[in-house]
Amino acid sequence: MPKLASRVETIKPSMILSIAQKARELKESGKDVISFSVGVPNFLPAQHVYDAVAESIHNDKGVYLSSRGEGELIDAYINKLTRDGIEGFKQNHVACGIGAKHLLFSLMMSMLEKGDEVILIAPTWGSYIDDAEFFGAKPVIIECSAKDNYKLDPERLEYYVTDKTKMIIFNNPTNPTGMVYESAEIKALAEKLEQYKDMWVISDDIYDNMIYDGLKFDHLWHYASDELKQRMVLVNSISKTYGMPGWRVGYLACLNETVSKTITALNANSITNVPAPAVAAATAALNGSHEFVKQQCLEFEKKRDIVMQYMAKDEKIKCPLPQGAFYAFPDISACFGKSYNGRIITSAMDFCKILLEEKLLACVPGEVFADNNGIRISYACSEKDLVEGLTRFIDFVNNIK
Ligand code: PLP
């Protein structure tokens, strides 16, 4: 029997998708499960997106498309950046892919050598960790606790950067905590990053439109020197903003042209191109009215408020106020060492397992995000499910003794 290559020996399935799958199976077996586990926005894109797809199918030319990405999609992304005050990008700085996840994977493949170190700010999205490890790099986790609002104090960086550090990933607003960095914090981080000339700075902007409480999205770009801008890569996608996670379109921009050129070559040798209907859909989403997106944000803000009302109902829960994305990340470590119905809870993993089995509510344990004290609640479900799920959650916590 031939063997698989050693490089895939350590590859792991996505824990979040496994939890979502388990919740789905329980539901299909007739159990009244509520899932707060997956990061899907739970709304459908606007009508102009569907119209553009219909037109693209009607006008199909039956050809392969550009491996970099079609010009109209690239222009739509550049125009989006310009609207955000992020200027200087031309078509040759951009490359598209099958979602941000694919581009992040390709970036790590392009940039990381075995033994390199990648700085991650925890709680952090689990795929960054898995991808870095897959390419033989070492994730260097900077733990930021609930009492620090899960945010990085840039002064801490110097204790973690070594001569092996090759990359840092900054995700704002943040999955899994919903934290949003304010301008002064972003500026301080940009100033610190100026020092590390051998470090790629990846800015994962996938939740950039999902910000509440009247806060404005700010970006490292606005405070970066010309030198820092050359080693920054901006990554984004249509998944969250436009309610299109399954359409699989992402894009990145870097002033250093070798980056987009390399990603284009990787595309040419793997996916060839983003499928035409998805290109049309993404272009229409980016170019279309954003009133719809604003409306969705108001809905999320309302749901965030409901989550926070419930989080305040038990002292064992400490939940910093999330102001973006659609996640809350309560610290539940006060429950460790206590038990529910005689079942002892020693970790976030235990907490989520017992919560799912006893209350049929699926959440994601903090271990997935390199934080052992919290759990992630994705509140992008219907308001009815949200209230029912939170009622179960708080009943569970109240009865942990
Ligand atoms: N980055 C972060 C922080 C995410 O939370 C996700 C998806 O959950 C992604 C990237 C991947 O997004 P996409 O659907 O564009 O691949």
Side-chain angles (χ1 to χ4, degrees):
M1 187 69 183
K3 278 182 153 175
L4 295 180
S6 55
R7 82 175 73 85
V8 293
E9 271 168 15
T10 56
I11 198 150
K12 295 175 234 152
S14 157
M15 179 101 94
I16 300 178
L17 296 183
S18 319
I19 292 166
Q21 177 63 21
K22 176 145 194 223
R24 224 178 354 254
E25 281 165 17
L26 280 168
K27 205 165 193 159
E28 277 163 18
S29 74
K31 297 259 173 24
D32 172 26
V33 173
I34 291 181
S35 180
F36 287 170
S37 64
V38 287
V40 298
N42 199 36
F43 59 85
L44 291 173
Q47 186 57 41
H48 58 259
V49 169
Y50 293 108
D51 294 343
V53 176
E55 198 183 321
S56 118
I57 292 170
H58 186 70
N59 295 328
D60 182 35
K61 301 211 167 42
V63 293
Y64 290 119
L65 305 182
S66 157
S67 294
R68 178 185 290 280
E70 291 300 288
E72 77 241 33
L73 173 57
I74 293 178
D75 282 343
Y77 177 44
I78 293 175
N79 290 340
K80 175 243 174 329
L81 291 172
T82 308
R83 287 198 295 275
D84 294 341
I86 298 175
E87 303 201 25
F89 290 110
K90 304 208 170 64
Q91 290 221 353
N92 52 333
H93 299 128
V94 175
C96 303
I98 307 290
K101 194 185 247 179
H102 169 230
L103 291 169
L104 288 160
F105 188 84
S106 297
L107 281 173
M108 292 208 202
M109 191 191 304
S110 311
M111 293 171 172
L112 300 177
E113 304 279 4
K114 218 167 173 214
D116 283 345
E117 294 180 357
V118 178
I119 299 221
L120 299 174
I121 305 159
T124 180
W125 189 47
S127 286
Y128 302 145
I129 303 174
D130 296 346
D131 288 358
E133 286 177 343
F134 181 69
F135 293 110
K138 180 176 158 209
V140 173
I141 308 285
I142 309 185
E143 289 175 15
C144 303
S145 65
K147 94 177 157 18
D148 299 324
N149 280 334
Y150 299 124
K151 287 185 188 176
L152 175 69
D153 170 357
E155 293 305 317
R156 293 181 66 199
L157 267 178
E158 60 196 75
Y159 302 103
Y160 294 86
V161 175
T162 71
D163 57 358
K164 297 204 182 85
T165 309
K166 193 67 169 293
M167 177 186 282
I168 183 169
I169 304 183
F170 179 61
N171 170 222
N172 178 46
T174 309
N175 177 7
T177 61
M179 291 301 126
V180 178
Y181 282 75
E182 289 167 20
S183 293
E185 295 165 327
I186 293 172
K187 181 167 183 278
L189 179 59
E191 280 166 9
K192 201 75 191 164
L193 292 171
E194 297 286 352
Q195 289 178 25
Y196 307 116
K197 310 276 186 238
D198 295 325
M199 191 196 287
W200 291 106
V201 176
I202 313 294
S203 182
D204 181 344
D205 306 330
I206 187 163
Y207 297 99
D208 62 353
N209 273 278
M210 302 185 149
I211 298 196
Y212 318 125
D213 304 326
L215 286 183
K216 286 251 173 311
F217 176 68
D218 204 350
H219 201 284
L220 284 172
W221 189 263
H222 295 132
Y223 307 99
S225 67
D226 288 346
E227 183 279 324
L228 177 55
K229 283 179 178 169
Q230 288 288 330
R231 52 191 170 86
M232 279 181 67
V233 186
L234 282 52
V235 180
N236 212 325
S237 87
I238 57 171
S239 294
K240 313 292 176 178
T241 300
Y242 304 109
M244 300 170 70
W247 292 78
R248 310 309 301 137
V249 182
Y251 19 80
L252 60 74
C254 179
L255 283 184
N256 181 335
E257 280 176 45
T258 52
V259 173
S260 61
K261 219 161 119 183
T262 304
I263 299 296
T264 302
L266 284 173
N267 283 348
N269 286 287
S270 53
I271 63 161
T272 301
N273 62 260
V274 179
V279 169
T283 308
L286 281 161
N287 286 340
S289 160
H290 279 62
E291 273 316 303
F292 175 77
V293 175
K294 285 189 196 138
Q295 198 50 41
Q296 293 304 331
C297 278
L298 292 176
E299 296 288 318
F300 281 133
E301 189 171 335
K302 234 167 66 190
K303 288 180 184 164
R304 186 278 315 265
D305 290 341
I306 297 173
V307 172
M308 292 312 285
Q309 278 164 25
Y310 279 81
M311 293 300 119
K313 286 179 193 271
D314 193 303
E315 282 186 345
K316 293 193 280 304
I317 303 296
K318 303 268 174 293
C319 188
L321 179 73
Q323 293 187 292
F326 36 72
Y327 308 112
F329 198 80
D331 180 317
I332 47 96
S333 59
C335 301
F336 297 168
K338 298 187 164 69
S339 49
Y340 179 87
N341 255 352
R343 301 177 70 179
I344 188 142
I345 297 168
T346 58
S347 64
M349 200 83 89
D350 281 351
F351 183 99
C352 287
K353 185 169 184 287
I354 300 172
L355 179 62
L356 180 58
E357 288 168 4
E358 300 273 350
K359 290 285 182 189
L360 297 175
L361 176 64
C363 296
V364 185
E367 285 90 339
V368 173
F369 309 102
D371 180 299
N372 293 340
N373 295 321
I375 64 159
R376 189 185 77 174
I377 290 174
S378 169
Y379 54 80
C381 51
S382 70
E383 196 169 319
K384 180 169 163 284
D385 278 0
L386 183 64
V387 170
E388 171 59 24
L390 289 168
T391 306
R392 293 183 196 183
F393 177 81
I394 217 64
D395 186 49
F396 178 71
V397 177
N398 284 162
N399 285 295
I400 294 173
K401 307 281 182 204

